[in-house]
Amino acid sequence: MATEKSEEAKQTSAGGFGAAPVMTVCPRCGASGSSVRTVPDACAAPDSPGSGLSDRLAKAPGVESRFDSFTHFLEGMVLAFVCAGLARHGVQNDKPLFTTGGAALAVLLFVGTLWVVRGEARERATVAAGRPRAEELWAAACFCASCESVFYPTGSPWPGPLTTDQFRKYVWTEAGFTKQLDEKLKQVELPPRTPAGPTAPGGAHGHA
Ligand SMILES: [Zn+2]
């Protein structure tokens, strides 16, 4: 139907897929034009954080910053120190309950803090390692505001439309963030990967 001319031709990702499709048409609902934006553009829209779209299209899991981890470390160590003080108080005043309780808590906090901080560091490393791949898959995709589908205009690397959850699962899985998938996303199944066949991008074919 209404085929706007080359206005939207520039609507392609900054991801670097050289030959851009002429016009981006949603493969699920057929919308085009202003409804269809690249995923980076959709996430950059002013209302996107408020509507939760940025989260639903997040390219990578949020991780604790180094600074946050350092803060956690300090907090844990302060608490461990306080418990060690209790144990010391127990020794000095011959209160075995304080001694054993304080010592046990101090050790628990010390070990627990190291465990947490180490986990955060591992997660940062995982996300840093997968980020280029995630970025690549994320930036090349388009988001249709009409039906909330995500798709690749070129039909590659994924041939058909995905929901935002499926898209996030796809990107995160490809980038190696499977451990970071929450329970809901773990349940999400990707549609069968139909061969990227006759629906060549470009929108020149007749509507069936
Ligand atoms: Zn659509």
Side-chain angles (χ1 to χ4, degrees), residues 26 29 144 146-147:
C26 172
C29 72
C144 170
S146 296
C147 67

PDB file of all heavy atoms in Angstrom, residues 26 29 144 146-147, ligand 1:
ATOM      1  N   CYS A  26       8.249  -3.944   8.728  1.00  0.00           N
ATOM      2  CA  CYS A  26       8.125  -4.961   9.765  1.00  0.00           C
ATOM      3  C   CYS A  26       7.581  -6.251   9.151  1.00  0.00           C
ATOM      4  O   CYS A  26       6.525  -6.242   8.527  1.00  0.00           O
ATOM      5  CB  CYS A  26       7.192  -4.463  10.858  1.00  0.00           C
ATOM      6  SG  CYS A  26       6.792  -5.732  12.055  1.00  0.00           S
ATOM      7  N   CYS A  29       3.862  -7.142  11.044  1.00  0.00           N
ATOM      8  CA  CYS A  29       2.628  -6.384  10.833  1.00  0.00           C
ATOM      9  C   CYS A  29       2.690  -5.493   9.604  1.00  0.00           C
ATOM     10  O   CYS A  29       1.699  -4.871   9.243  1.00  0.00           O
ATOM     11  CB  CYS A  29       2.307  -5.550  12.070  1.00  0.00           C
ATOM     12  SG  CYS A  29       3.405  -4.152  12.296  1.00  0.00           S
ATOM     13  N   CYS A 144       9.839  -2.581  15.891  1.00  0.00           N
ATOM     14  CA  CYS A 144       8.581  -2.062  15.349  1.00  0.00           C
ATOM     15  C   CYS A 144       7.685  -1.658  16.513  1.00  0.00           C
ATOM     16  O   CYS A 144       7.307  -2.499  17.325  1.00  0.00           O
ATOM     17  CB  CYS A 144       7.899  -3.125  14.500  1.00  0.00           C
ATOM     18  SG  CYS A 144       6.211  -2.663  14.042  1.00  0.00           S
ATOM     19  N   SER A 146       4.662  -0.673  16.360  1.00  0.00           N
ATOM     20  CA  SER A 146       3.263  -1.062  16.155  1.00  0.00           C
ATOM     21  C   SER A 146       2.960  -2.412  16.798  1.00  0.00           C
ATOM     22  O   SER A 146       1.944  -2.569  17.453  1.00  0.00           O
ATOM     23  CB  SER A 146       2.946  -1.141  14.670  1.00  0.00           C
ATOM     24  OG  SER A 146       3.080   0.118  14.089  1.00  0.00           O
ATOM     25  N   CYS A 147       3.810  -3.378  16.567  1.00  0.00           N
ATOM     26  CA  CYS A 147       3.528  -4.721  17.105  1.00  0.00           C
ATOM     27  C   CYS A 147       4.603  -5.164  18.088  1.00  0.00           C
ATOM     28  O   CYS A 147       4.589  -6.298  18.545  1.00  0.00           O
ATOM     29  CB  CYS A 147       3.389  -5.731  15.969  1.00  0.00           C
ATOM     30  SG  CYS A 147       4.916  -6.024  15.056  1.00  0.00           S
TER      31      CYS A 147
HETATM   32 ZN    ZN B   1       5.329  -4.631  13.363  1.00  0.00          ZN
END
